[in-house]
Amino acid sequence: MKKLLTLLLLLPAAAAAQQERIVSGGMVLDGGEVRTPTPALAMKALLEPSTPHQRPHAPAVAVLRQRYDLRSAVELDAMVEDLVRLVLGSDRDASLRAQLALMGAGQEAGHGTRHPGAVSGLIRAYETAQASEQHANPNLILATVFYAGEEGYVVELLETSEQPAPCVPSGDADTANRCPNRSSWCDAAMVLHDRRHEAAPPAGVVDRLCGWGRWILR
């Protein structure tokens, strides 16, 4: 009886430890068992509903950073491509999770080894979204590029992109340059301004050219 009581007292602690392994380590709960993530399991976790003990993007970060297992460049590159497709897809939750996965895999800090291809994938996703206008908010992708450690890319984008003409409130149906203004310069300006970066243009300039304050109402 005493042993049974002791076991019952230990069960909550064991469950908490198991959940901590999942949350902090990017492990996955598969078939009731905690497993080391594979690319397939990580992509499955990325698309599943959120749970209190699982960050959906964490297993993908663990795989790309090779936290538990070494993987071939071909395998990692294929996973990056899958994540880029999700970033550019129409499912906003999946897009955000894929962005977080690529950002986490590309940052210098973190367990394992950063995967430089992750940041390259994010940049490629941003440039594709900006050029094709298939993504509703390419500036959000650019923000993850910044947080992944590529602030130099964002600053260079601002410096090399052409400043747009001042935008016109969207109520004027005759203008082709409605607010908010969609342009690479505006994307970079807003990201840098939001992060209070020294290269950011003044808020008044960003609002006049881009309709910056109106983006939150979009």
Side-chain angles (χ1 to χ4, degrees):
M1 182 66 177
K2 185 176 180 181
K3 290 183 178 180
L4 178 60
L5 289 175
T6 301
L7 178 61
L8 291 175
L9 289 172
L10 290 175
L11 283 176
Q18 183 185 63
Q19 290 182 2
E20 179 60 26
R21 288 178 66 199
I22 298 172
V23 172
S24 63
M27 305 288 277
V28 293
L29 189 61
D30 181 51
E33 295 185 20
V34 178
R35 300 182 186 277
T36 299
T38 63
L41 286 176
M43 295 301 293
K44 178 183 176 184
L46 190 80
L47 298 174
E48 289 180 342
S50 297
T51 62
H53 60 274
Q54 178 74 73
R55 292 177 294 182
H57 64 282
V61 174
V63 171
L64 288 174
R65 296 186 72 93
Q66 302 184 84
R67 180 172 183 180
Y68 300 108
D69 301 303
L70 294 179
R71 301 194 177 274
S72 69
V74 171
E75 199 171 12
L76 295 178
D77 288 346
M79 188 171 179
V80 168
E81 290 305 311
D82 288 340
L83 291 168
V84 168
R85 279 192 287 273
L86 288 176
V87 170
L88 295 170
S90 59
D91 187 322
R92 296 187 68 177
D93 286 343
S95 176
L96 178 58
R97 292 176 179 186
Q99 289 175 56
L100 292 174
L102 291 170
M103 182 183 75
Q107 290 174 327
E108 288 288 349
H111 295 286
T113 304
R114 74 179 290 267
H115 184 58
V119 179
S120 300
L122 270 177
I123 291 174
R124 184 156 31 85
Y126 166 73
E127 292 175 350
T128 301
Q130 178 56 244
S132 65
E133 299 192 0
Q134 293 299 308
H135 196 281
N137 299 108
N139 60 312
L140 296 182
I141 305 177
L142 190 62
T144 59
V145 172
F146 182 95
Y147 280 127
E150 289 295 327
E151 66 178 76
Y153 171 84
V154 182
V155 172
E156 183 178 1
L157 186 66
L158 179 77
E159 294 174 346
T160 58
S161 299
E162 183 178 354
Q163 281 192 11
C167 67
V168 179
S170 56
D172 187 347
D174 294 331
T175 182
N177 197 37
R178 302 181 192 180
C179 296
N181 199 343
R182 184 180 176 121
S183 72
S184 295
W185 189 92
C186 287
D187 288 342
M190 286 186 286
V191 168
L192 293 172
H193 193 279
D194 285 348
R195 278 71 193 170
R196 299 181 180 180
H197 194 279
E198 61 182 7
V205 173
V206 182
D207 189 50
R208 180 171 61 86
L209 300 183
C210 306
W212 174 59
R214 303 175 183 88
W215 279 83
I216 58 174
L217 302 177
R218 189 171 185 180

